[in-house]
Amino acid sequence: MPKQTFIKLPIDKKETLIHAAKKEFSRVPLFEASIANIVKEAGIPRGSFYQYFEDKEDLYYFLLDEYSQRLRRRFISILKKQNGDLMETFIESFEMMLINLQSIESRQFFRNAFLNMNYKSENTLTPEVNQEQLKTRLAEVVALVDHDKLNITNEMELIHVLKIMKAVTFQNLIQVFAKDLSIDDSLRNYKLEVNLLKKGLSKE
């Protein structure tokens, strides 16, 4: 996470560094990224960089965490609009993600992120779902979900529903980048899988 020096920077200077970092992480994956390129693009001394962040990983995961927070706020907003319908909220949220990925820089940044995903980056984008999280980070989501629209009997089953939806969403996002799918094709595939889950996979 950023140091206090970065947090206290004027907004324009923060945005300049963030833009430079996104440009570099869009050019190459994290492990190939260069702090030298970031500071050159931002127009700051290399020493200043280390006053703001520990290293390039620190900056990278800060960017992912910022995006995760925006995703969470948007998810909650859509969940309210959908009157607690969790499945429809996931579909609309996925569609919004696809639309937001249309800018070249965003698409390249997340292409590099998703095609080089590890546990830490996945958990930064969508933190682990567990009993403790239901009472803290996910408390607002749980309160908004219309449980009557889900075939579940307790919170433990809700945890697993959220885990399944997280896995389906991540896999579909990876396919977007791996196969360079269009919005229509990506959304069609996602809706198909979500609707299969809604119907159930086994016949009685």
Side-chain angles (χ1 to χ4, degrees):
M1 290 297 102
K3 298 178 181 179
Q4 284 299 313
T5 318
F6 177 79
I7 293 171
K8 292 177 180 178
L9 277 177
I11 292 176
D12 59 332
K13 291 187 176 181
K14 284 183 184 177
E15 289 180 347
T16 297
L17 179 54
I18 287 171
H19 175 75
K22 285 183 177 178
K23 183 175 180 179
E24 179 65 4
F25 294 133
S26 298
R27 187 183 69 84
V28 291
L30 169 62
F31 68 92
E32 293 181 27
S34 163
I35 291 177
N37 288 342
I38 294 173
V39 298
K40 181 179 178 181
E41 180 69 25
I44 62 172
R46 190 180 182 96
S48 295
F49 178 90
Y50 292 104
Q51 291 178 0
Y52 306 145
F53 293 92
E54 290 292 337
D55 47 34
K56 66 181 182 181
E57 286 82 4
D58 195 23
L59 173 54
Y60 178 75
Y61 287 112
F62 165 72
L63 295 179
L64 287 188
D65 185 65
E66 288 283 292
Y67 183 71
S68 174
Q69 296 303 321
R70 291 198 297 275
L71 283 181
R72 180 177 174 276
R73 290 192 295 268
R74 186 165 66 210
F75 188 87
I76 288 172
S77 176
I78 295 171
L79 187 57
K80 289 177 180 177
K81 189 182 77 172
Q82 291 286 355
N83 297 313
D85 189 322
L86 186 64
M87 296 303 191
E88 288 304 313
T89 298
F90 267 103
I91 290 173
E92 186 173 341
S93 296
F94 185 77
E95 183 174 13
M96 290 299 298
M97 281 189 273
L98 295 176
I99 292 170
N100 291 335
L101 288 171
Q102 292 313 293
S103 78
I104 293 175
E105 185 174 287
S106 289
R107 192 171 182 86
Q108 284 303 119
F109 178 86
F110 286 104
R111 177 190 296 275
N112 287 334
F114 277 94
L115 295 185
N116 296 275
M117 188 69 68
N118 58 30
Y119 176 77
K120 184 175 180 180
S121 52
E122 179 178 344
N123 201 47
T124 301
L125 278 171
T126 54
E128 185 177 355
V129 181
N130 55 41
Q131 196 75 34
E132 180 182 344
Q133 295 287 355
L134 285 186
K135 292 177 170 55
T136 54
R137 183 182 58 83
L138 290 173
E140 188 173 3
V141 171
V142 173
L144 290 169
V145 169
D146 184 347
H147 288 58
D148 292 336
K149 291 182 178 178
L150 294 172
N151 186 23
I152 60 173
T153 57
N154 54 50
E155 282 191 349
M156 184 57 66
E157 290 186 350
L158 178 58
I159 287 175
H160 288 286
V161 169
L162 291 170
K163 284 183 176 180
I164 291 167
M165 292 307 300
K166 172 184 170 180
V168 169
T169 301
F170 258 81
Q171 181 57 34
N172 275 269
L173 284 170
I174 290 170
Q175 291 303 306
V176 168
F177 299 114
K179 298 181 179 179
D180 201 23
L181 298 177
S182 67
I183 288 180
D184 288 344
D185 287 341
S186 303
L187 192 58
R188 187 182 304 113
N189 292 342
Y190 189 71
K191 283 182 176 179
L192 173 61
E193 293 182 9
V194 173
N195 286 329
L196 282 170
L197 291 173
K198 287 171 70 173
K199 286 193 304 181
L201 300 176
S202 296
K203 288 185 178 180
E204 294 296 331

